[in-house]
Amino acid sequence: MSDLRELYQEVIIDHNRNPRNFHKMQDANKYAEGYNPLCGDQLNLFLKIAEDVIQEVSFEGSGCAISTASASLMTEALKGKTIQQAEALFNTVHGLLTKDEATDWDRLGKLVVLAGVKEFPARVKCATLAWHTLHSALTNQVIAASTE
Amino acid sequence: MDISTYRADFPILQQAIKDKPLIYLDNAATTQKPQVVIDALVHYYTHANANVHRGVHALSERATHAYENARTTVKNFINAAHTEEIVFVRGTTEAINLVAQSYGRSHLQAGDEILLTELEHHANIVPWQLVCEQTGAKLRVIPINEAGEINLDDVIALINKRTKLLAVGHISNAIGTINPVEDMIKIAHANQVPVLVDGAQAAPHMPIDVQALDCDFYTLSGHKVFGPTGIGALYAKAQWLEKLPPYQGGGDMISSVSFEKSSYNRPPFKFEAGTPNIAGAIGFATALDYLTKVGVANTQAYEQELLAYATQALSEIPGLRIIGTAEHKASIISFVLDKIHPHDIGTILDSKGIAIRAGHHCAMPLMQHFKVSATARASLAFYNTRQEIDCLIRALYEVKEVFG
Ligand SMILES: Cc1ncc(COP(=O)(O)O)c(C=O)c1O
């Protein structure tokens, strides 16, 4: 149960219940779709970028608590970041969730709650979906991002 | 039926998961194996391993004998008329692909129609789509009602002169509906349409009699009936196996080969190219013998009681909705709970040692019908108990608590 509490921390539950920046964006200039074929989780990510800086970010879609909370937390973390900083954050989070490295979660701020997912290998892809989608939006890949 | 004696036959059920006794409710995905099946595999590799149908030595004779005996066991289990009507394959998926290719490529033309139902597993959809692409044939889909049932009037309405095959699951893996296949086959045959029945989920839950059904093709997966993975069977009426072209080419399926022309072996060998899964076939037959000894009529009656008990208990949980409420159901229950995603339910149950499935159950069109992207599914076997259902119910209340 203690592991479970690590996974479903208050912050995750809260962001799942009330996802932040959860809406379509009409004037977005970057957009990507994410899809996890394993569980059917699906997410659309909208970004408004001006002079290399993320001004606005929002998402919509349907998914489990982990993927919804991860996306919601991500949108909060991205606002005001440069594209380079956002890419770096993608790399850090992705690395932390998928690689066996002892890491310094603390510098991730609120995103630290995602650390609990690591103990649940079957759920890592839920947490990375939004981040893959971000990566594909920033690198302008035309195809939908997939966790596969 | 005293379940505790049978539970003891399944060594895997004796273990703890996350310090809790394992409660395995994912039997529609795959079933657990009794000790006799595990022993049969060990025994085969310890005493009889050799290739089949080709050696003159003692071991090869032993292996061939055991492999062909396994075929007879499968034949008896589904009451086929002839042993030659049983083709060993990897499982239902391969069985359907075999029929789709062998029958489809030789019998389908542009404009022809294959009739399926909205309930089908992807394994009974995609092979037909592939052969449709190759031949220009089209899929037609029999709808289901809100309970997840087929209406025979729709079958009658959709069958027409262009219909070249009806492919239907005997039992839906996603929501448990037992389809009226006997009536569907009558309707199809009255229109000269052959019928394939996907029996992957039926074999563990009900007696099967392919002669009484009069189906043209019937498919089985060993791992869904307490046997090993990687083995299954295609039943096909003898006249089909005579008529249809081979599926794969290779050793064992030929009687002579030259570079100009090869001639094919007789059925069922014509459809078994290459060295087969010999140990798997033996394990599969051992599982069928085991189930026969327990008695399919007994397990069926017990499972129906368990299903009624679980359905009642689940329905009493506020916010829980059962997806699939057909009048005739096997012990497979799909549900959604409040707005909680099935994967979150699955993870929390897992932390309590309870294994269920969460997802689309390889039936995405069916999920679309019910307007859900996924469900949680508890699928029960005869070794499950009321106590286990009670644990599931308690755990689901805890899931509700976590998500408040
Ligand atoms: C109804 C149904 N059809 C087909 C299949 C495919 O069977 P297998 O994976 O054993 O080939 C399954 C199993 O997942 C099933 O439940």
Side-chain angles (χ1 to χ4, degrees), chain B residues 160-221:
Chain B
N160 63 60
K161 287 200 180 60
R162 294 180 301 276
T163 311
K164 288 290 147 61
L165 188 109
L166 166 63
V168 55
H170 203 160
I171 291 179
S172 157
N173 66 303
I175 61 171
T177 308
I178 304 175
N179 284 320
V181 291
E182 204 164 340
D183 291 330
M184 294 173 78
I185 291 165
K186 285 205 184 92
I187 294 167
H189 284 177
N191 292 275
Q192 285 80 49
V193 173
V195 181
L196 174 140
V197 180
D198 167 356
Q201 293 295 341
H205 294 298
M206 61 195 288
I208 294 161
D209 184 335
V210 290
Q211 292 187 79
L213 286 177
D214 196 30
C215 55
D216 297 85
F217 305 99
Y218 199 94
T219 70
L220 299 170
S221 289

Side-chain angles (χ1 to χ4, degrees), chain B residues 28-29 91-94 96 121 123 171-173 198 200-201 221 223-224:
Chain B
T92 288
T93 301
E94 188 174 45
I96 297 174
H121 187 282
I171 291 179
S172 157
N173 66 303
D198 167 356
Q201 293 295 341
S221 289
H223 70 103
K224 308 250 192 218

Side-chain angles (χ1 to χ4, degrees), chain B residues 116-382:
Chain B
L116 309 176
T117 85
E118 225 177 340
L119 284 162
E120 299 315 309
H121 187 282
H122 295 165
N124 202 21
I125 301 175
V126 185
W128 304 113
Q129 284 175 328
L130 290 173
V131 75
C132 282
E133 273 172 31
Q134 291 159 349
T135 60
K138 286 207 257 332
L139 293 188
R140 299 292 300 272
V141 182
I142 302 166
I144 51 169
N145 64 17
E146 268 317 290
E149 296 165 318
I150 288 166
N151 184 335
L152 290 175
D153 291 340
D154 290 323
V155 183
I156 294 168
L158 279 162
I159 282 196
N160 63 60
K161 287 200 180 60
R162 294 180 301 276
T163 311
K164 288 290 147 61
L165 188 109
L166 166 63
V168 55
H170 203 160
I171 291 179
S172 157
N173 66 303
I175 61 171
T177 308
I178 304 175
N179 284 320
V181 291
E182 204 164 340
D183 291 330
M184 294 173 78
I185 291 165
K186 285 205 184 92
I187 294 167
H189 284 177
N191 292 275
Q192 285 80 49
V193 173
V195 181
L196 174 140
V197 180
D198 167 356
Q201 293 295 341
H205 294 298
M206 61 195 288
I208 294 161
D209 184 335
V210 290
Q211 292 187 79
L213 286 177
D214 196 30
C215 55
D216 297 85
F217 305 99
Y218 199 94
T219 70
L220 299 170
S221 289
H223 70 103
K224 308 250 192 218
V225 245
F226 316 107
T229 53
I231 187 72
L234 168 68
Y235 158 82
K237 280 185 181 165
Q239 70 256 33
W240 282 118
L241 291 182
E242 285 296 339
K243 201 157 43 175
L244 294 182
Y247 172 50
Q248 295 177 328
D252 239 26
M253 54 76 69
I254 45 79
S255 51
S256 76
V257 172
S258 74
F259 284 113
E260 287 68 43
K261 187 169 173 50
S262 301
S263 57
Y264 307 130
N265 205 336
R266 63 192 160 82
F269 310 111
K270 177 168 129 186
F271 297 95
E272 291 181 7
T275 301
N277 183 353
I278 306 163
I282 293 165
F284 181 21
T286 307
L288 297 181
D289 277 338
Y290 172 82
L291 183 55
T292 304
K293 215 157 89 193
V294 178
V296 184
N298 295 334
T299 59
Q300 189 183 22
Y302 174 78
E303 286 174 5
Q304 283 296 320
E305 267 175 45
L306 206 55
L307 171 67
Y309 181 74
T311 304
Q312 177 62 34
L314 284 166
S315 323
E316 284 168 11
I317 299 179
L320 188 142
R321 177 161 73 102
I322 292 179
I323 305 284
T325 49
E327 190 183 338
H328 300 289
K329 258 180 89 162
S331 50
I332 297 171
I333 313 172
S334 249
F335 60 90
V336 291
L337 178 58
D338 298 328
K339 290 215 157 36
I340 308 171
H341 194 282
H343 281 103
D344 296 314
I345 299 175
T347 295
I348 295 176
L349 295 187
D350 179 56
S351 74
K352 300 175 184 314
I354 304 173
I356 60 148
R357 171 97 186 257
H360 53 56
H361 316 293
C362 297
M364 290 174 82
L366 180 63
M367 297 292 112
Q368 231 158 35
H369 172 93
F370 285 105
K371 302 193 172 51
V372 293
S373 64
T375 70
R377 179 189 71 186
S379 51
L380 317 175
F382 73 90

Side-chain angles (χ1 to χ4, degrees), chain A residues 4 8 17 35 39 41 65 123, chain B residues 341 343-344 347 351 364 403:
Chain A
L4 204 60
Y8 293 108
R17 197 177 297 144
Y35 179 60
C39 44
D41 285 0
R123 305 303 299 278
Chain B
H341 194 282
H343 281 103
D344 296 314
T347 295
S351 74
M364 290 174 82
F403 284 88

